[in-house]
Amino acid sequence: EVPPNITIVFRQTKLETQMEKGEIQEKKAQNQQRKVFAAILTSTGALSTGAGGYFFYKGIKAHSNYKNVGFYPGYEQDLDRYWRDMNNDFIIGGCATGVAAVTLYFGLRLFFKKATPSKNVGMIIGPDQIDVVWAF
């Protein structure tokens, strides 16, 4: 066992050594890059969600037009156009929604990801005790 003030001095010395080597700034830069990438993924997912919703809305509108035209003589071209528009809008809407789901999942997962735990800390569990070990 060592007095607490020796431990504080040791930690301060270790921190200064890491700062001199540049290890602390590297971790900070990596964390910053992760946050930027997570923000890009999240914003891409939000935009894809909007696009998917818009195309689903257009598909539903085209389906409504298709049903309202009916099978009157002379409207076959309109029926074909509404049917084609409806299919294209639903396909584009489905793809945009899929992209939104994937990018939002990974973006939010990166954004809320906790820092990796320190490998210098461990636990020893015995039958009647639990010890927390700090490796220097």
Side-chain angles (χ1 to χ4, degrees), residues 33-111:
Q33 289 174 347
R34 182 178 59 91
K35 286 182 181 178
V36 168
F37 189 63
I40 290 170
L41 282 176
T42 305
S43 61
T44 302
L47 291 173
S48 296
T49 301
Y54 171 73
F55 280 104
F56 276 129
Y57 171 74
K58 277 184 61 179
I60 290 170
K61 197 172 173 183
H63 180 67
S64 173
N65 289 337
Y66 177 78
K67 286 176 65 176
N68 290 337
V69 166
F71 295 102
Y72 298 112
Y75 288 102
E76 290 84 13
Q77 291 178 346
D78 289 338
L79 282 174
D80 290 341
R81 182 171 49 94
Y82 289 142
W83 183 260
R84 189 174 50 250
D85 289 347
M86 180 182 63
N87 284 338
N88 291 339
D89 290 338
F90 281 139
I91 289 170
I92 293 170
C95 291
T97 304
V99 168
V102 170
T103 55
L104 279 175
Y105 172 75
F106 286 111
L108 292 175
R109 185 174 175 197
L110 277 175
F111 192 69

Side-chain angles (χ1 to χ4, degrees), residues 3 8-9 16 20 22 28 31 43 50-51 64 74-75 88 101-102 114 116 132:
I8 293 171
V9 170
E16 289 174 2
E20 287 174 2
K28 197 177 219 184
N31 194 22
S43 61
S64 173
Y75 288 102
N88 291 339
V102 170
K114 297 189 187 238
T116 56
V132 178

Side-chain angles (χ1 to χ4, degrees), residues 112-132:
F112 291 114
K113 182 179 178 183
K114 297 189 187 238
T116 56
S118 174
K119 294 182 180 170
N120 296 335
V121 179
M123 293 183 73
I124 299 175
I125 301 173
D128 58 349
Q129 68 183 11
I130 296 177
D131 295 331
V132 178

Side-chain angles (χ1 to χ4, degrees), residues 7-33:
T7 306
I8 293 171
V9 170
F10 179 76
R11 287 182 187 162
Q12 182 66 29
T13 307
K14 185 176 177 183
L15 181 64
E16 289 174 2
T17 305
Q18 287 178 341
M19 289 175 69
E20 287 174 2
K21 291 180 180 178
E23 293 174 2
I24 290 179
Q25 291 189 359
E26 285 179 18
K27 290 179 184 176
K28 197 177 219 184
Q30 288 174 351
N31 194 22
Q32 186 68 19
Q33 289 174 347

